[in-house]
Amino acid sequence: GIGSYALLTMIVAFLKTHPSRRNRLGNRKSLEGSLGVLLVDFFRLYGKLLNKRNVGITASEGGMFYNKEERNFLNDGRPYLLSVQDPVDSDNDLARNSYNISKVTSAFDFAFQMLTTPKIMSSSSILESILDWKRDSLLIERAELIKASMLDNSLAEAKHEGEGVNGEDPTPKVAKSRKRKGKRRKGENSQKKQRKD
């Protein structure tokens, strides 16, 4: 795969090079305002368009694409590797060890296809359709932890409510008055029975 720093650099480089940043004359303008459009364009660039064999990307110099061979980032034994120049150290290729980049690229391409292919929406969300969380053990574990945490929080709140405030009896006043009325009725009923006898 790719490391988090490389991914973050890819995102910054993508945002800096996004076509919405330039008008027809090449002048800078504001970035696309829709996060949905940006997400789809990100998946399109890194899943479909980027020629990883010859081209790398950098967030330096305002964000740009470069020839991997000219920057000595081309690995002849593995030309398919992604190349992402470190913005802090221009001699460092952050993605030089991205051996599973084909899986990452496939995931980006799949996400692009899922987000752009017209379909009838099921009950699941669009994001759920690209994550496939039911097969991802880390996401399953997170979901279970979140459920357990929510259960723990609700139990703690219930316990806190049951403890009362400042040592007061936690039984709600309405419940207390019902108990008193019930006791009175029992007493009245037993007195009525005694009178009948």
Side-chain angles (χ1 to χ4, degrees):
I2 52 176
S4 58
Y5 182 49
L7 180 59
L8 183 61
T9 303
M10 289 168 61
I11 293 168
V12 172
F14 162 76
L15 293 173
K16 286 183 172 185
T17 60
H18 192 265
S20 70
R21 298 289 306 248
R22 309 246 184 249
N23 63 19
R24 292 181 186 174
L25 301 174
N27 299 328
R28 290 181 91 64
K29 57 182 206 174
S30 63
L31 183 64
E32 166 66 48
S34 168
L35 294 178
V37 169
L38 291 172
L39 180 64
V40 169
D41 286 349
F42 176 85
F43 288 144
R44 182 172 175 248
L45 173 65
Y46 291 113
K48 291 187 141 332
L49 299 179
L50 186 64
N51 176 358
K52 292 182 298 300
R53 289 191 176 275
N54 301 314
V55 177
I57 191 162
T58 181
S60 300
E61 306 168 44
M64 61 182 272
F65 299 97
Y66 58 82
N67 183 307
K68 286 168 58 172
E69 192 170 9
E70 289 175 4
R71 299 219 179 175
N72 292 323
F73 287 161
L74 180 64
N75 181 337
D76 291 327
R78 295 184 182 102
Y80 57 85
L81 292 179
L82 180 66
S83 179
V84 180
Q85 185 180 31
D86 187 340
V88 177
D89 178 5
S90 62
D91 294 329
N92 184 24
D93 182 357
L94 296 172
R96 70 182 170 279
N97 295 322
S98 60
Y99 300 114
N100 285 327
I101 193 61
S102 60
K103 289 182 180 180
V104 174
T105 301
S106 294
F108 288 161
D109 183 35
F110 175 75
F112 173 76
Q113 295 299 327
M114 292 300 294
L115 292 173
T116 58
T117 303
K119 64 179 180 175
I120 298 172
M121 286 299 295
S122 64
S123 61
S124 64
S125 71
I126 293 174
L127 190 56
E128 186 178 327
S129 69
I130 64 174
L131 286 179
D132 194 17
W133 65 272
K134 293 176 184 172
R135 287 194 233 161
D136 189 321
S137 59
L138 179 63
L139 291 177
I140 291 170
E141 185 179 331
R142 275 192 194 153
E144 290 170 357
L145 288 172
I146 289 169
K147 283 181 186 175
S149 174
M150 290 171 62
L151 179 62
D152 289 345
N153 288 342
S154 62
L155 290 175
E157 287 175 13
K159 182 180 178 190
H160 178 70
E161 289 173 5
E163 291 172 351
V165 181
N166 298 327
E168 294 175 4
D169 185 354
T171 309
K173 292 180 181 178
V174 174
K176 285 182 184 179
S177 65
R178 285 184 186 154
K179 284 182 183 178
R180 284 188 209 126
K181 287 179 184 176
K183 286 180 183 177
R184 281 188 211 139
R185 286 185 190 143
K186 283 181 186 177
E188 290 170 6
N189 289 339
S190 63
Q191 287 175 359
K192 287 179 184 177
K193 281 184 184 180
Q194 288 175 357
R195 287 183 199 153
K196 287 181 184 178
D197 294 337

